[in-house]
Amino acid sequence: MTKSDFFSGISASWDERHSTPEEQERLRRFAVHFRLRQGDRVLDAGCGSGRLIPLICAAVGPQGSLVELDFAPDMVNIARGKAKNGRVEFIVGDAHSLPMPDGDFDKVIALALLPHLDDRGAALKEFRRVLKPGGMLVIAHQLGREALDRLHNESSEPVRRDLLPEKLVLAGLLATAGFSSCEIIDEPGQYVAWALA
Ligand SMILES: C[S@@+](CC[C@H](N)C(=O)[O-])C[C@H]1O[C@@H](n2cnc3c(N)ncnc32)[C@H](O)[C@@H]1O
């Protein structure tokens, strides 16, 4: 089974699990890490069922815009139902080969995506390419690395080997992809990285 089929297959249950008021509130508090500003043009890479749509739209305001991208068509279909205005675009696409021009975005957000990327170096280069100079990549996980790795180790194929890199390894990958500076939090409870293009 491909990863895209796997994620399409769990799309309904993923959405159900993460759409509870408790989960949305936890995400709302966590979203401070995205450092969004009014007017930002944002790529939500590996958007899943679109749980970030209301939060990003509220943070970037009417001058901002959002592209929701995921390679699992069923995830994108669920996300589509959450857009309340025409400022959100939906793309079924692969993070390793983004169908966007260079320098298109102020922010790329990758929430719970990194472990699943088969070629992290290639995807990070793509994120770097589509960011404006000085734009920011935010890699974020609401669980610490050990807890998330345990969860994936206990999962079925094709995601059971999808583990998070240690801090130094991620810093190296970001530098190789051309990011100029980065800050990484790898602690129990959260794993977040910010990198500037
Ligand atoms: C764990 S889910 C997280 C979804 C969403 N970001 C969230 O936090 O609710 C990972 C998502 O990344 C998507 N994904 C994994 N690899 C991808 C790739 N190479 N390109 C695009 N999407 C990908 C999956 O289809 C899935 O929807």
Side-chain angles (χ1 to χ4, degrees), residues 39 51 58 63 84 129-132 141 145 170 174 179:
R51 62 187 178 130
Q63 307 305 321
K84 301 275 180 278
R129 181 183 67 75
V130 301
L131 278 165
K132 296 175 185 170
H141 300 83
R145 184 162 50 84
L170 179 58
L174 288 166
F179 286 93

Side-chain angles (χ1 to χ4, degrees), residues 177-196:
F179 286 93
S180 63
S181 70
C182 75
E183 187 189 338
I184 302 170
I185 296 176
D186 176 4
E187 61 184 28
Q190 60 184 357
Y191 179 105
V192 188
W194 300 265
L196 290 183

Side-chain angles (χ1 to χ4, degrees), residues 26-124:
R26 200 165 80 87
L27 187 59
R28 193 189 61 73
R29 280 186 268 112
F30 185 74
V32 65
H33 289 315
F34 303 149
R35 301 181 183 176
L36 291 166
R37 290 181 304 207
Q38 290 279 314
D40 273 352
R41 175 161 169 74
V42 180
L43 170 63
D44 180 8
C47 64
S49 62
R51 62 187 178 130
L52 285 182
I53 292 173
L55 289 170
I56 295 175
C57 285
V60 303
Q63 307 305 321
S65 59
L66 169 62
V67 176
E68 292 278 292
L69 175 135
D70 201 288
F71 70 0
D74 290 2
M75 285 285 196
V76 177
N77 283 339
I78 296 175
R80 247 182 252 281
K82 294 181 183 166
K84 301 275 180 278
N85 58 57
R87 287 180 291 121
V88 189
E89 191 186 335
F90 294 89
I91 297 179
V92 176
D94 193 327
H96 296 92
S97 171
L98 294 170
M100 290 103 177
D102 297 357
D104 199 11
F105 294 96
D106 300 291
K107 295 249 158 61
V108 173
I109 296 176
L111 176 63
L113 172 66
L114 185 68
H116 305 301
L117 296 170
D118 290 333
D119 184 343
R120 288 156 188 186
L124 292 176

